[in-house]
Amino acid sequence: MRRRTFRGAVAVMALTTAALIGTAGSALACHSDDNRPHPTPGQATPCAKGTDLKQSDVEFKIVKNRLNISKVNEGVTVTRIVVVGGDDGFNDYTPGKQGLDKAAPWNDLRAPFSRNGHQADLDHWYLCGKKTDKPTETTKPPTTKPTETTKPSAPATSDTSVSPSSTAPAVVPAGNESGTGGGLANTGFDNMWLVWIAALLILGGGGLLALLKFRRKASE
């Protein structure tokens, strides 16, 4: 009985030791010199449903197997960064936890060590989080200014308009078109000969008076 009990105890101890060694070996195999992520052995777990993001949602560069995320696009929130590489796990980063800044930039993100203890190459990486679409901008109708009332413009002066001058013909009074005067309406009868007869009579009378005066002086 004692031998059987002893053998059973040895078997249990051997199984327990093997399990502990396996766990320790697994934990030792997946580790990182970066204290910001959570090194996890095995296959990388996907993002929760509806939280997948695209690499184009951020601005990034990969330099010497190090992932550098410099900027997150507008409307994007990153809640998880997974960097896979090597042969035994992945590094799981959570912004705002374990010393990782809550907002970008995030630099020097890397894969865990391989089982041989060397830094693993970065095989691939992905992001989890949420993205909100930008609200569509409503187009405002163009504001129309009140139409200005048209002011009446001053009449344009034409170059061909004739200004009154001294050379314009004098207005002849009605009834005196022939220049005979009198202000009477012109009936077709020209009385200019009467003026000439009067002038001759005056001249004749003057001459007659001069002649009589001359004879009177001669007779004395």
Side-chain angles (χ1 to χ4, degrees), residues 60-90:
F60 69 94
K61 286 184 180 179
I62 296 177
V63 181
K64 295 182 180 180
N65 287 314
R66 302 294 174 94
L67 172 64
N68 299 315
I69 299 176
S70 58
K71 183 180 178 181
V72 177
N73 294 345
E74 186 177 354
V76 176
T77 303
V78 178
T79 58
R80 185 186 179 201
I81 308 169
V82 177
V83 182
V84 182
D87 49 17
D88 193 41
F90 58 94

Side-chain angles (χ1 to χ4, degrees), residues 50-51 53 75-79 128-132:
T51 63
L53 295 176
V76 176
T77 303
V78 178
T79 58
C128 304
K130 59 183 179 179
K131 180 167 56 176
T132 56

Side-chain angles (χ1 to χ4, degrees), residues 127-149:
L127 302 166
C128 304
K130 59 183 179 179
K131 180 167 56 176
T132 56
D133 296 331
K134 294 181 182 179
T136 56
E137 296 180 358
T138 56
T139 305
K140 295 181 179 180
T143 55
T144 56
K145 295 182 179 180
T147 57
E148 296 181 358
T149 56

Side-chain angles (χ1 to χ4, degrees), residues 104-127:
W106 301 299
N107 297 319
D108 291 330
L109 308 182
R110 68 202 80 164
F113 285 160
S114 296
R115 291 176 184 173
N116 58 9
H118 296 295
Q119 178 66 58
D121 293 337
L122 194 158
D123 292 338
H124 66 276
W125 62 279
Y126 59 90
L127 302 166

Side-chain angles (χ1 to χ4, degrees), residues 23-31 88 114:
T23 303
S26 177
L28 183 62
C30 188
H31 67 284
D88 193 41
S114 296

Side-chain angles (χ1 to χ4, degrees), residues 163-218:
S163 58
S165 63
S166 59
T167 58
V171 179
V172 179
N176 196 24
E177 290 83 352
S178 60
T180 57
L184 299 176
N186 187 7
T187 59
F189 174 74
D190 191 0
N191 55 2
M192 192 61 187
W193 62 273
L194 294 175
V195 176
W196 288 109
I197 291 174
L200 290 174
L201 290 174
I202 292 171
L203 289 174
L208 182 59
L209 290 175
L211 180 61
L212 292 175
K213 186 176 181 181
F214 177 75
R215 284 183 179 182
R216 188 176 296 172
K217 286 182 179 183

